[in-house]
Amino acid sequence: MRIITELCDICGTCVSVCPADAIIVEEFQVSIDNARCIECGKCRQVCPARAIEGDVK
Amino acid sequence: MIKDRYDVVIIGAGPAGSVAGRFAAEKGASVLIMERDREAGIPVRCAEGVSVNGIKPFIEFDKKWVAATIDAACLHSPDGEKAFMYNNGKGLVLERRIFDTELCHLAVNAGAELLMKANATGLEYTGGKISGVHFRHQGENKTIKCSLVIGADGVESRVGRWAGMKTALNLDDLDTCVQYTVSGYKGEQNVCHFYFGLDVSPGGYIWIFPKSKGVANIGIGISGHLAEVKGPKEYLDEFMDKEYPEVQTNYIVYGGVPTAWGLEKYIDDNIMLVGDAARQVNPMTGGGIVQAMIAARLAGQVAAAAVEKGDFSYSFLKQYKKDWDVKLGSIQKTMYSMKEKFMRMDDGRFNKLVQICQNIPREEFSLKRLFMESMKGDPKLMAELARAFVVSKINLKKN
Ligand SMILES: Cc1cc2nc3c(=O)[nH]c(=O)nc-3n(C[C@H](O)[C@H](O)[C@H](O)COP(=O)(O)OP(=O)(O)OC[C@H]3O[C@@H](n4cnc5c(N)ncnc54)[C@H](O)[C@@H]3O)c2cc1C
Ligand code: SF4
Ligand code: SF4
């Protein structure tokens, strides 16, 4: 999973559904820690800005 | 200059954080509120609708944070019918940027300290107990000591996760939202609008909240479990093209609203969660400002009592849960059961409900009357809602 920084609004919606605590929020950037990500696709489904891409397991 | 240690560190300076900070500081606790952004209430991820009665206990009325007064809500059914619900000036559209800042001022006046542009990154533990907060500020990693952490970090609710609480939401307990603030809006300034329907806004609704002349918040929330193929922005853009092609969008925000009934665990030794972080939003309407303030006052008061007694154990802090359950927690479960029903309602049912509203004369309108008329007009729906209500009561007794 990957967050397209240019599209991301840093709204935290993806973080709220991630079952693996894999999403990191910094002051100006949100990113995914692929070592923790289980590729469930929940973040991609709820991102209102459609800023997340990647394949779901 | 901030100190090395506080009784209470609050993470997040939204309505939940600043109200909790105010009520804790007022009773003598030393309080630090840290906020990731440069300013409270920015960006405004909110439609800004509240009731006058809801906010009255928390802030003295000042028109500088009021964008509009609402006298009526217009419900739009999927088949294009309209019904008005009147509330005669009891609704407000806020300027949250000013409102949230004002709530921060009140916390500071009560003795709380504020640290902006400070992003909490984790909890410090000493001997297995929470003893502080790690954060990043001005390019440096720092730690601040405290006896109690209050997580008021909004929908993300990471603070709770750091403490081992299960705050991750199911997809059908999250509304994914987009909102445009537009100019050139020609609708009435004292009427808000809600649009329902599976093709309009599945599992949620589209709202219009007018602000000052010609400006309005037009937004949508759809249930996360229905957002796979088509997202909220696509639905909203279709709606705008059809209904409001003439307006200009000045501002776009994205956001999420938790529509769970609450959280199983949001209090533990040395930590409490409050507001969106504790999923204290009304799951039926998605309104969370007043709910967050109500919960925050309770949490702030318990925090102050804990400081006075020097007891930060779960068994002391759980008073906050007791108070919340009495105040609103039980209603939350009823609202949640109703949400479950509404979320799965078909268009025919929505059409029928709007028809029922239409038949109530303006001067006789009240929620009670709506309920009575609905009983007559759609007994099956009402039976289901009543059952939802009873089930929620039973669940409540079990807990
Ligand atoms: C599109 C939309 C429309 C809405 N419309 C309405 C409405 O009309 N009426 C209504 O009542 N409610 C509405 N809500 C809900 C309402 O906005 C929230 O319920 C309310 O803001 C909750 O307040 P809070 O203080 O809990 O969280 P927030 O207001 O979200 O505040 C949380 C704060 O914590 C900060 N934070 C987060 N993580 C960290 C960290 N690690 N370190 C430091 N700071 C951090 C954030 O920057 C933020 O400032 C809407 C929500 C959305 C998304
Ligand atoms: S939900 Fe989308 S826009 Fe919001 S923080 Fe996550 S990636 Fe960014
Ligand atoms: S795919 Fe699933 S596990 Fe990975 S970041 Fe998204 S929500 Fe978290």
Side-chain angles (χ1 to χ4, degrees):
Chain A
M1 286 294 148
R2 193 177 80 86
I3 294 180
I4 307 158
T5 310
E6 298 76 41
L7 297 180
C8 171
D9 198 38
I10 319 189
C11 71
T13 306
C14 53
V15 182
S16 73
V17 297
C18 175
D21 295 351
I23 305 182
I24 303 157
V25 189
E26 288 158 291
E27 203 187 336
F28 301 110
Q29 188 173 322
V30 180
S31 54
I32 291 174
D33 175 358
N34 278 308
R36 301 193 75 149
C37 172
I38 56 167
E39 294 172 9
C40 70
K42 286 186 174 181
C43 56
R44 195 183 71 178
Q45 177 157 340
V46 300
C47 171
R50 292 300 196 236
I52 305 181
E53 59 179 15
D55 293 326
V56 175
K57 244 185 200 154
Chain B
M1 256 311 272
I2 61 160
K3 300 192 280 276
D4 300 333
R5 181 188 164 86
Y6 290 82
D7 294 327
V8 185
V9 170
I10 298 175
I11 300 165
S18 44
V19 171
R22 186 204 319 174
F23 282 92
E26 203 172 70
K27 290 271 159 62
S30 67
V31 176
L32 178 75
I33 306 173
M34 63 169 76
E35 167 58 50
R36 182 165 64 216
D37 281 323
R38 65 185 67 232
E39 196 181 318
I42 291 288
V44 179
R45 294 186 200 286
C46 186
E48 308 178 284
V50 289
S51 71
V52 175
N53 290 342
I55 56 169
K56 213 191 262 167
F58 299 96
I59 189 165
E60 212 170 296
F61 190 88
D62 190 335
K63 59 180 186 304
K64 75 179 173 206
W65 42 256
V66 176
T69 309
I70 300 296
D71 296 310
C74 181
L75 309 181
H76 298 255
S77 64
D79 63 357
E81 288 294 314
K82 288 192 244 181
F84 287 91
M85 293 166 65
Y86 296 94
N87 63 359
N88 299 325
K90 288 190 199 128
L92 294 179
V93 181
L94 299 172
E95 282 302 346
R96 262 198 78 177
R97 175 185 198 145
I98 305 173
F99 182 77
D100 282 23
T101 304
E102 207 53 34
L103 289 177
C104 279
H105 290 328
L106 289 171
V108 169
N109 290 346
E113 290 174 44
L114 268 178
L115 186 66
M116 306 308 284
K117 297 185 81 172
N119 184 26
T121 53
L123 299 175
E124 185 202 57
Y125 282 83
T126 306
K129 290 215 152 189
I130 294 169
S131 57
V133 175
H134 301 303
F135 65 103
R136 226 179 137 71
H137 181 58
Q138 294 174 336
E140 274 179 63
N141 293 324
K142 299 178 183 173
T143 302
I144 202 147
K145 299 261 177 208
C146 64
S147 306
L148 178 63
V149 173
I150 297 184
D153 55 330
V155 69
E156 290 172 31
S157 195
R158 285 189 308 150
V159 176
R161 290 176 189 225
W162 298 332
M165 296 168 184
K166 294 192 172 64
T167 69
L169 291 163
N170 294 328
L171 293 184
D172 54 0
D173 285 339
L174 173 96
D175 279 5
T176 168
C177 307
V178 181
Q179 179 176 273
Y180 298 149
T181 300
V182 304
S183 51
Y185 174 69
K186 297 207 176 67
E188 284 169 277
Q189 291 300 306
N190 60 341
V191 180
C192 59
H193 295 266
F194 299 97
Y195 294 80
F196 301 93
L198 285 175
D199 297 329
V200 179
S201 183
Y205 57 85
I206 284 178
W207 63 81
I208 301 180
F209 285 98
K211 296 188 76 174
S212 55
K213 280 199 165 58
V215 175
N217 290 331
I218 306 186
I220 184 171
I222 71 174
S223 179
H225 79 293
L226 300 172
E228 186 169 11
V229 181
K230 201 164 148 183
K233 187 168 184 297
E234 291 163 275
Y235 283 100
L236 186 60
D237 285 342
E238 278 174 19
F239 172 83
M240 297 296 285
D241 285 345
K242 195 168 143 237
E243 303 282 342
Y244 294 95
E246 72 284 4
V247 303
Q248 296 295 315
T249 300
N250 308 323
Y251 191 73
I252 305 181
V253 281
Y254 300 93
V257 176
T259 58
W261 61 267
L263 264 188
E264 209 61 63
K265 191 168 182 67
Y266 55 98
I267 304 166
D268 208 340
D269 292 343
N270 310 87
I271 186 165
M272 305 193 277
L273 306 184
V274 65
D276 277 18
R279 313 324 189 186
Q280 285 158 332
V281 177
N282 179 331
M284 192 51 200
T285 63
I289 301 168
V290 171
Q291 314 256 122
M293 294 197 293
I294 290 173
R297 176 172 56 192
L298 301 173
Q301 286 165 341
V302 170
V307 170
E308 210 174 299
K309 214 167 165 248
D311 186 352
F312 302 94
S313 66
Y314 168 75
S315 58
F316 187 85
L317 299 177
K318 72 170 192 266
Q319 185 60 40
Y320 160 45
K321 177 177 160 42
K322 282 191 192 153
D323 295 343
W324 169 252
D325 282 346
V326 169
K327 193 86 191 170
L328 270 181
S330 51
I331 300 171
Q332 283 292 100
K333 292 200 174 170
T334 307
M335 290 295 164
Y336 183 75
S337 313
M338 292 201 162
K339 175 207 95 168
E340 290 277 278
K341 286 274 176 277
F342 273 94
M343 198 166 66
R344 291 171 172 90
M345 228 157 85
D346 60 27
D347 283 359
R349 279 284 166 74
F350 278 119
N351 292 336
K352 193 136 194 190
L353 264 186
V354 168
Q355 253 175 37
I356 292 167
C357 284
Q358 278 176 338
N359 291 331
I360 305 175
R362 174 177 181 160
E363 52 285 359
E364 289 169 32
F365 195 90
S366 69
L367 279 180
K368 193 172 163 204
R369 180 71 194 271
L370 173 61
F371 193 76
M372 301 302 282
E373 293 296 324
S374 308
M375 291 266 246
K376 283 190 244 158
D378 191 347
K380 200 161 155 235
L381 170 67
M382 278 303 127
E384 279 178 26
L385 290 179
R387 198 167 55 228
F389 185 78
V390 173
V391 169
S392 75
K393 288 274 177 223
I394 294 168
N395 285 340
L396 196 71
K397 277 198 189 126
K398 272 195 255 165
N399 287 333

